[in-house]
Amino acid sequence: MKGQDIKEAGLKITLPRLQVLEYFEKHPGEHLTADELFTKLRSENSDIGLATIYRVLNQFETAGLVVKHQFENAQAVYELDTGEHHDHMVDVETGEVKEFFDKQLEELQVQVANKYGYELIDHSMVLYVKKKK
Amino acid sequence: MKGQDIKEAGLKITLPRLQVLEYFEKHPGEHLTADELFTKLRSENSDIGLATIYRVLNQFETAGLVVKHQFENAQAVYELDTGEHHDHMVDVETGEVKEFFDKQLEELQVQVANKYGYELIDHSMVLYVKKKK
DNA sequence: GTGGGTGCAAATAATTTGCACGGTA
DNA sequence: TACCGTGCAAATTATTTGCACCCAC
């Protein structure tokens, strides 16, 4: 049962938390803002509050259940943490967000950090792209 | 004279605009928030307003005089646009921002975008690092 | 039963905008 | 003199927090 993840995070299994987690699981690959999630859940007859969404997302982020991204825009977007690291491509024409992973790029970043005398802890990389004609 | 850049951007040469531009030119490599710039200029006996800083920075960004970055934190940071593209490394222990450029990384990003059927328009890449012991 | 969890509304933080006045061209 | 530009304060936007009530354990 999915409540397991919530319990393992040291949180009580409550309806709002289940609804948020369930939404992400039912829509794999979606990246949405707190507000978008609020609207979607409300339209599914949930009576969840926006503040709760922010609270739950923060708790889930701390627990490693979701990942938060701050792209160019003001609002942060969240996605389910599949456990597999990946980076993002944003199609500048459609706003669509695509995940990708490139081993060579990852390794090169480690090497570049080393070259400057640093150890790489984390990175964020977003490629802004458009479809080739 | 430095007012030149401002005039070329189609803007009147005013004291606040000169002060902002001058601050960046006198402190090469600095990345600061609107609020930090406000405090610095005020301490230099300017009577510039925070709203004006935001307005001027936006105009300068549009004109290509400064570049705006949104790192993990809430506040955006600005730096003078030297015309040379570079990415950033943030020391997670000190908060220090270092610029770097790696040709191989740049090229690899183009290739990766191509591999997925896209054309690379722009990218943002921030390496979070700490000093090697 | 009790302490954590929730919705709502009010508080914050960063940034933008309205307005009357001031300075540049 | 024309208007654009400015400082200040109020408005906006995204997010957080206080509080009284509620529910999972």
Side-chain angles (χ1 to χ4, degrees), chain B residues 22-47:
Chain B
E22 194 174 311
Y23 184 90
F24 279 115
E25 286 175 345
K26 279 195 180 159
H27 303 82
E30 263 193 51
H31 297 68
L32 26 71
T33 64
D35 202 63
E36 284 166 351
L37 187 53
F38 176 64
T39 306
K40 303 261 188 182
L41 289 180
R42 282 282 179 149
S43 74
E44 291 179 2
N45 301 318
S46 166
D47 66 342

Short mmCIF file of all heavy atoms in Angstrom, two decimals, chain B residues 22-47:
data_model
loop_
_atom_site.label_atom_id
_atom_site.label_comp_id
_atom_site.label_asym_id
_atom_site.label_seq_id
_atom_site.Cartn_x
_atom_site.Cartn_y
_atom_site.Cartn_z
N GLU B 22 28.01 51.97 -12.72
CA GLU B 22 29.32 52.23 -12.15
C GLU B 22 29.67 51.23 -11.05
O GLU B 22 30.80 50.78 -10.95
CB GLU B 22 29.33 53.65 -11.59
CG GLU B 22 30.70 54.20 -11.27
CD GLU B 22 30.59 55.67 -10.86
OE1 GLU B 22 29.92 56.45 -11.59
OE2 GLU B 22 31.12 56.03 -9.80
N TYR B 23 28.66 50.89 -10.25
CA TYR B 23 28.94 49.94 -9.18
C TYR B 23 29.43 48.61 -9.77
O TYR B 23 30.42 48.05 -9.31
CB TYR B 23 27.72 49.69 -8.28
CG TYR B 23 28.12 48.79 -7.15
CD1 TYR B 23 28.60 49.30 -5.95
CD2 TYR B 23 28.10 47.39 -7.30
CE1 TYR B 23 29.05 48.47 -4.93
CE2 TYR B 23 28.55 46.56 -6.30
CZ TYR B 23 29.02 47.10 -5.12
OH TYR B 23 29.47 46.27 -4.14
N PHE B 24 28.73 48.13 -10.78
CA PHE B 24 29.12 46.87 -11.39
C PHE B 24 30.52 46.96 -12.00
O PHE B 24 31.32 46.04 -11.87
CB PHE B 24 28.12 46.46 -12.47
CG PHE B 24 26.88 45.80 -11.92
CD1 PHE B 24 25.64 46.39 -12.06
CD2 PHE B 24 26.97 44.57 -11.27
CE1 PHE B 24 24.49 45.76 -11.55
CE2 PHE B 24 25.83 43.95 -10.77
CZ PHE B 24 24.61 44.55 -10.91
N GLU B 25 30.81 48.07 -12.63
CA GLU B 25 32.11 48.21 -13.29
C GLU B 25 33.24 48.30 -12.27
O GLU B 25 34.36 47.87 -12.53
CB GLU B 25 32.10 49.42 -14.21
CG GLU B 25 31.28 49.13 -15.47
CD GLU B 25 31.14 50.33 -16.38
OE1 GLU B 25 31.42 51.46 -15.93
OE2 GLU B 25 30.72 50.15 -17.55
N LYS B 26 32.96 48.87 -11.13
CA LYS B 26 33.99 49.00 -10.10
C LYS B 26 34.20 47.72 -9.31
O LYS B 26 35.15 47.60 -8.55
CB LYS B 26 33.60 50.13 -9.12
CG LYS B 26 33.93 51.50 -9.64
CD LYS B 26 33.87 52.52 -8.51
CE LYS B 26 34.19 53.92 -9.03
NZ LYS B 26 33.69 54.97 -8.11
N HIS B 27 33.24 46.78 -9.44
CA HIS B 27 33.35 45.53 -8.69
C HIS B 27 33.16 44.34 -9.62
O HIS B 27 32.15 43.65 -9.55
CB HIS B 27 32.31 45.49 -7.57
CG HIS B 27 32.42 46.63 -6.62
ND1 HIS B 27 31.89 47.86 -6.87
CD2 HIS B 27 33.04 46.73 -5.41
CE1 HIS B 27 32.16 48.68 -5.86
NE2 HIS B 27 32.84 48.02 -4.95
N PRO B 28 34.15 44.13 -10.48
CA PRO B 28 34.00 43.05 -11.46
C PRO B 28 33.87 41.69 -10.79
O PRO B 28 34.49 41.43 -9.77
CB PRO B 28 35.28 43.13 -12.29
CG PRO B 28 36.22 43.99 -11.53
CD PRO B 28 35.44 44.78 -10.56
N GLY B 29 33.04 40.85 -11.36
CA GLY B 29 32.88 39.50 -10.82
C GLY B 29 31.89 39.39 -9.69
O GLY B 29 31.58 38.30 -9.25
N GLU B 30 31.36 40.52 -9.21
CA GLU B 30 30.40 40.44 -8.10
C GLU B 30 29.02 40.05 -8.62
O GLU B 30 28.58 40.51 -9.67
CB GLU B 30 30.31 41.77 -7.36
CG GLU B 30 31.17 41.80 -6.11
CD GLU B 30 30.84 42.98 -5.22
OE1 GLU B 30 29.65 43.19 -4.91
OE2 GLU B 30 31.78 43.69 -4.83
N HIS B 31 28.35 39.22 -7.84
CA HIS B 31 26.98 38.82 -8.16
C HIS B 31 26.14 39.28 -6.99
O HIS B 31 26.26 38.74 -5.90
CB HIS B 31 26.87 37.30 -8.26
CG HIS B 31 27.70 36.73 -9.37
ND1 HIS B 31 29.06 36.73 -9.37
CD2 HIS B 31 27.34 36.13 -10.53
CE1 HIS B 31 29.51 36.16 -10.47
NE2 HIS B 31 28.49 35.78 -11.19
N LEU B 32 25.29 40.26 -7.20
CA LEU B 32 24.51 40.70 -6.04
C LEU B 32 23.03 40.85 -6.30
O LEU B 32 22.58 40.97 -7.44
CB LEU B 32 25.07 41.97 -5.41
CG LEU B 32 25.90 42.96 -6.23
CD1 LEU B 32 24.98 43.65 -7.18
CD2 LEU B 32 26.53 43.96 -5.29
N THR B 33 22.27 40.81 -5.20
CA THR B 33 20.82 40.95 -5.27
C THR B 33 20.47 42.43 -5.35
O THR B 33 21.29 43.29 -5.03
CB THR B 33 20.15 40.37 -4.02
OG1 THR B 33 20.56 41.13 -2.88
CG2 THR B 33 20.58 38.92 -3.80
N ALA B 34 19.22 42.70 -5.73
CA ALA B 34 18.74 44.07 -5.81
C ALA B 34 18.90 44.75 -4.45
O ALA B 34 19.33 45.90 -4.36
CB ALA B 34 17.28 44.08 -6.24
N ASP B 35 18.59 44.02 -3.42
CA ASP B 35 18.66 44.57 -2.08
C ASP B 35 20.08 44.88 -1.64
O ASP B 35 20.35 45.91 -1.03
CB ASP B 35 18.02 43.59 -1.10
CG ASP B 35 17.59 44.29 0.16
OD1 ASP B 35 16.71 45.17 0.06
OD2 ASP B 35 18.15 43.99 1.23
N GLU B 36 21.01 43.99 -1.98
CA GLU B 36 22.42 44.24 -1.65
C GLU B 36 22.91 45.48 -2.37
O GLU B 36 23.60 46.33 -1.78
CB GLU B 36 23.27 43.03 -2.05
CG GLU B 36 23.15 41.86 -1.10
CD GLU B 36 23.72 40.57 -1.68
OE1 GLU B 36 24.05 40.55 -2.89
OE2 GLU B 36 23.82 39.59 -0.93
N LEU B 37 22.54 45.60 -3.64
CA LEU B 37 22.95 46.76 -4.42
C LEU B 37 22.38 48.03 -3.80
O LEU B 37 23.06 49.06 -3.72
CB LEU B 37 22.47 46.59 -5.86
CG LEU B 37 22.93 47.61 -6.89
CD1 LEU B 37 24.44 47.76 -6.90
CD2 LEU B 37 22.43 47.22 -8.27
N PHE B 38 21.14 47.94 -3.36
CA PHE B 38 20.48 49.07 -2.72
C PHE B 38 21.27 49.53 -1.49
O PHE B 38 21.61 50.71 -1.35
CB PHE B 38 19.06 48.65 -2.31
CG PHE B 38 18.30 49.68 -1.54
CD1 PHE B 38 17.96 50.90 -2.13
CD2 PHE B 38 17.90 49.43 -0.23
CE1 PHE B 38 17.22 51.85 -1.42
CE2 PHE B 38 17.17 50.37 0.48
CZ PHE B 38 16.84 51.57 -0.11
N THR B 39 21.61 48.57 -0.62
CA THR B 39 22.36 48.89 0.60
C THR B 39 23.73 49.50 0.28
O THR B 39 24.12 50.51 0.88
CB THR B 39 22.55 47.61 1.44
OG1 THR B 39 21.28 47.03 1.66
CG2 THR B 39 23.20 47.92 2.77
N LYS B 40 24.42 48.89 -0.68
CA LYS B 40 25.75 49.38 -1.05
C LYS B 40 25.69 50.82 -1.57
O LYS B 40 26.45 51.68 -1.15
CB LYS B 40 26.36 48.50 -2.14
CG LYS B 40 26.46 47.04 -1.77
CD LYS B 40 27.84 46.67 -1.30
CE LYS B 40 27.93 45.14 -1.13
NZ LYS B 40 29.23 44.72 -0.62
N LEU B 41 24.75 51.06 -2.48
CA LEU B 41 24.67 52.40 -3.07
C LEU B 41 24.26 53.43 -2.03
O LEU B 41 24.80 54.54 -2.00
CB LEU B 41 23.70 52.41 -4.26
CG LEU B 41 24.19 51.66 -5.50
CD1 LEU B 41 23.17 51.74 -6.62
CD2 LEU B 41 25.53 52.23 -5.98
N ARG B 42 23.34 53.06 -1.16
CA ARG B 42 22.92 53.98 -0.11
C ARG B 42 24.10 54.34 0.78
O ARG B 42 24.25 55.47 1.23
CB ARG B 42 21.82 53.33 0.75
CG ARG B 42 20.46 53.35 0.10
CD ARG B 42 19.82 54.73 0.21
NE ARG B 42 18.51 54.74 -0.44
CZ ARG B 42 17.49 55.51 -0.02
NH1 ARG B 42 17.65 56.30 1.00
NH2 ARG B 42 16.36 55.48 -0.67
N SER B 43 24.95 53.33 1.06
CA SER B 43 26.09 53.59 1.94
C SER B 43 27.13 54.46 1.23
O SER B 43 28.04 54.99 1.84
CB SER B 43 26.72 52.27 2.39
OG SER B 43 27.45 51.69 1.34
N GLU B 44 26.98 54.57 -0.09
CA GLU B 44 27.88 55.46 -0.84
C GLU B 44 27.19 56.80 -1.07
O GLU B 44 27.49 57.50 -2.02
CB GLU B 44 28.25 54.83 -2.19
CG GLU B 44 29.13 53.60 -2.06
CD GLU B 44 29.46 52.99 -3.42
OE1 GLU B 44 29.02 53.55 -4.44
OE2 GLU B 44 30.15 51.95 -3.44
N ASN B 45 26.23 57.12 -0.19
CA ASN B 45 25.56 58.42 -0.23
C ASN B 45 24.65 58.64 -1.43
O ASN B 45 24.35 59.78 -1.77
CB ASN B 45 26.58 59.56 -0.15
CG ASN B 45 27.39 59.47 1.11
OD1 ASN B 45 26.87 59.18 2.19
ND2 ASN B 45 28.69 59.67 1.00
N SER B 46 24.20 57.55 -2.04
CA SER B 46 23.22 57.70 -3.10
C SER B 46 21.84 57.75 -2.44
O SER B 46 21.64 57.19 -1.37
CB SER B 46 23.30 56.50 -4.04
OG SER B 46 22.16 56.47 -4.88
N ASP B 47 20.89 58.43 -3.05
CA ASP B 47 19.54 58.43 -2.48
C ASP B 47 18.60 57.63 -3.38
O ASP B 47 17.41 57.87 -3.45
CB ASP B 47 19.03 59.85 -2.26
CG ASP B 47 18.83 60.58 -3.57
OD1 ASP B 47 19.40 60.12 -4.58
OD2 ASP B 47 18.11 61.59 -3.59
#
